Amino acid sequence: MKILVCFGTRPEAIKMAPVCHELKKQGIPYKLCVTGQHREMLDQVLDFFELTPDYDLDLMKHNQGLNELSARILVGMNTVFDSELFDLVLVHGDTTTSSMVALASFHKGIQVGHVEAGLRTYNKKSPFPEELNRQLTGRIADYHFAPTQRAKDNLVKEGVAEKLIIVTGNTVTDALAYAVDKVSNKYESETIASLKKLVDSSKRLILVTGHRRESFGQGFQDFCEALLLIAADPSLQLIYPVHLNPNVQEVVFKMLSKQDNIHLIAPLDYPSFVWLMNQAAVIISDSGGIQEEAPSLSVPVVVTRDTTERFEGIDAGISFLVGTSTKRIVDKTSEILKRLDDFKGIKNPYGDGDAAEKIIAFISQELN
Ligand code: UD1
Ligand code: UDP
């Protein structure tokens, strides 16, 4: 069976790296294709996980629109499939790369395995466009690697045959374990050295990220307003690695760059970001992956989104859905800061670090 692993953005790369590592460990040949939907942020991940693409479509354009990006991916994948045919393509999650690579594979009669299948809000405007991307990929996929039982239940309700759904845990817990192990074992990096200088141990650290398209405009301004109010407390330090999307950069640098205890920095390579998460008292973020990683580090997450497909962390009492309302972000952050001990010892509901092993066991036993 000829396998192609394909991804395009930072989070997909982080979450598919363990799958690539497991394929290699089991001696199963595969090829790796990156669309290059992201560039710098993707390359940081490829470097850390020592992955070399066989195909790199190098598609990213500045401030790219969804339709042009989708079209470029379809055409680019067609070129790949014209040069080499595959029996199975593995895609991840809910990006434009995932849905368009799945569609391009379907058009060529190639089977699709969907990693991180079954997450749903059932609100196609939130997250936008990810909810529709994952539903489309789910309709196309032949095999569904669901991270949790809840994700499996969603797929079953949608009529997917149970035998085609494999509950594996989320591969992000595998990636995190790999990074934590490296960082705690003499991994040397100039970035971590400079973060050590930046982090003020006399203050509590709040780590911030934000990039969701549905929050652009007023939502992002309200979110920045909340960060300014939180930073009014001098006992806190905020560090915000700012996503490279120009719609994010413009607002964030305009509104936050003058506040002394808010540090706006470039996106971090994965081990540096993991190191910084470990130093944080609280994370304020709209990121999917961070909601899944933070429980392993006992760090609570204030989720600046109106909807979530990741209820498991909320049910476990370690993530808190507040939307982009300034008041709700400020109030929840201050409430959490008063009870940080409550988050120690919560089990990560998203996985145990063996998701890739389960995915590859299914592929090698059932499909080969
Ligand atoms: C994308 C995904 C989103 C995912 C996020 C993870 C879609 C529609 N969106 O959103 O689901 O949560 O990635 O971060 O698939 N840019 C760079 N360098 C980079 C990356 C981005 O300069 O390495 C800039 C470019 O101007 C690019 C823009 O950011 O055009 C937007 O990138 P894009 O991948 O379209 O959207 P994201 O907001 O990153
Ligand atoms: N991340 C990183 N560097 C950063 C910010 C985040 O490596 O500066 C990692 C983070 O640990 C998580 C992933 O990137 O694994 C999340 O990516 P993002 O928030 O861009 O996308 P999402 O998960 O929301 O799709």
Side-chain angles (χ1 to χ4, degrees), residues 101-169:
V101 171
L103 184 61
S105 309
F106 170 72
H107 287 157
K108 291 284 187 182
I110 303 169
Q111 297 198 93
V112 173
H114 188 197
V115 179
E116 199 182 82
L119 275 65
R120 296 287 184 271
T121 62
Y122 293 109
N123 175 348
K124 65 184 177 187
K125 292 193 177 154
S126 179
F128 173 86
E130 290 82 3
E131 177 64 16
L132 202 67
N133 282 340
R134 58 195 172 213
Q135 289 197 26
L136 287 172
T137 308
R139 292 306 297 268
I140 295 168
D142 300 280
Y143 307 102
H144 308 257
F145 301 102
T148 63
Q149 184 61 40
R150 189 189 292 256
K152 175 176 176 177
D153 293 344
N154 289 335
L155 291 165
V156 171
K157 270 188 261 157
E158 292 170 21
V160 178
E162 280 206 47
K163 64 174 189 219
L164 302 178
I165 311 169
I166 304 93
V167 178
T168 61

Side-chain angles (χ1 to χ4, degrees), residues 10-11 14-15 38 41 44 94 172 209 211-212 241 243 266-270 273-274 277 286-290 293:
R10 169 174 70 190
I14 291 170
K15 291 169 166 184
H38 281 176
M41 287 160 56
Q44 284 179 326
D94 56 18
V172 82
T209 79
H211 69 84
R212 300 242 82 89
H243 193 288
L268 290 168
D269 59 78
Y270 189 54
F273 191 76
V274 168
M277 279 198 286
D286 60 14
S287 163
I290 292 170
E293 292 164 338

Side-chain angles (χ1 to χ4, degrees), residues 48-64:
F48 175 62
F49 287 98
E50 298 179 37
L51 297 174
T52 309
D54 299 286
Y55 298 93
D56 186 343
L57 305 181
D58 199 17
L59 290 175
M60 194 191 84
K61 296 253 192 306
H62 181 74
N63 205 9
Q64 56 206 1

